[in-house]
Amino acid sequence: MKRMRIALIAHDVKKDDLVAFVARHGEFLCDCDLVATRTTGGRLNKAFEFSVAKVSSGPLGGDLQIAAQLADGMISAVFFLRDPLTPMAHEVDIMALLRLCDVYNIPCATNLASAELVISGLEAGRVRRGRSAGPQHLHVRLRSNAGEIREHDVSGKDAACVLDVLDQGM
Ligand code: PGA
């Protein structure tokens, strides 16, 4: 099963919140590939045993490096705890990252409340994927664009593939 790659970024006043968030969801996140901007990643690497890959610091292009990974299809979700009260020199970079999340329909949480909702969706998806590893038998009903309905029985690996596709469409 492919590991999810998740981007973690926090502005300075939000870094403690992000560390606490990662601690709350460590069991899920330690099964993901994590990438962070430099200072955020440094904080996380100090706090946790699992390792977080680092790009440059946000003000030095790190948000854009994460945006580039996202445009290459490598990022499944972005948790970006922003400081809404301080003007940032790299505001345009931040906007570029958020815009690409919208372009590619990638879940992106910019505050803790939405971060909790997004991660609970991802965690629920993992439970569904976990189930797909076992023996499965599915009855699938497909409707073509023309409205024609076809029913199929699928089992074993094919059933796991169907569940993976459903997860990706989450
Ligand atoms: P930092 O960058 O993790 O290097 O502090 C975050 C940002 O400002 O975008």
Side-chain angles (χ1 to χ4, degrees):
M1 192 190 312
K2 204 171 146 232
R3 279 162 72 90
M4 260 187 222
R5 185 170 177 84
I6 290 185
L8 300 166
I9 310 170
H11 287 150
D12 289 349
V13 296
K14 300 287 178 179
K15 283 183 170 63
D16 289 345
D17 286 350
L18 186 69
V19 170
F21 173 78
V22 171
R24 279 196 296 284
H25 299 282
E27 197 192 329
F28 169 73
L29 290 171
C30 71
D31 275 342
C32 301
D33 290 328
L34 304 175
V35 59
T37 45
R38 184 156 301 271
T39 324
T40 303
R43 279 289 307 272
L44 295 171
N45 278 331
K46 227 183 238 173
F48 302 103
E49 292 202 336
F50 47 81
S51 112
V52 178
K54 291 186 286 183
V55 295
S56 300
S57 184
L60 300 178
D63 300 313
L64 293 180
Q65 289 173 309
I66 288 179
Q69 292 187 16
L70 191 146
D72 280 340
M74 294 164 60
I75 305 280
S76 303
V78 175
F79 294 93
F80 190 165
L81 299 188
R82 293 193 297 163
D83 174 358
L85 301 178
T86 308
M88 299 283 161
H90 58 308
E91 189 67 26
V92 289
D93 299 3
I94 297 165
M95 288 303 134
L97 173 56
L98 300 185
R99 191 183 82 80
L100 285 182
C101 289
D102 292 345
V103 169
Y104 291 98
N105 199 27
I106 294 297
C108 172
T110 58
N111 60 61
L112 262 186
S114 42
E116 292 293 349
L117 287 172
V118 169
I119 204 154
S120 45
L122 297 176
E123 286 166 345
R126 180 183 67 161
V127 171
R128 283 208 305 278
R129 277 193 302 282
R131 278 207 309 262
S132 74
Q136 292 282 349
H137 181 86
L138 297 178
H139 184 75
V140 183
R141 178 181 291 193
L142 301 170
R143 191 175 61 211
S144 71
N145 287 342
E148 182 192 356
I149 304 257
R150 287 202 186 154
E151 304 205 16
H152 301 271
D153 286 307
V154 285
S155 53
K157 270 191 187 163
D158 292 339
C161 285
V162 170
L163 289 174
D164 277 349
V165 168
L166 292 175
D167 281 341
Q168 280 159 25
M170 187 181 85

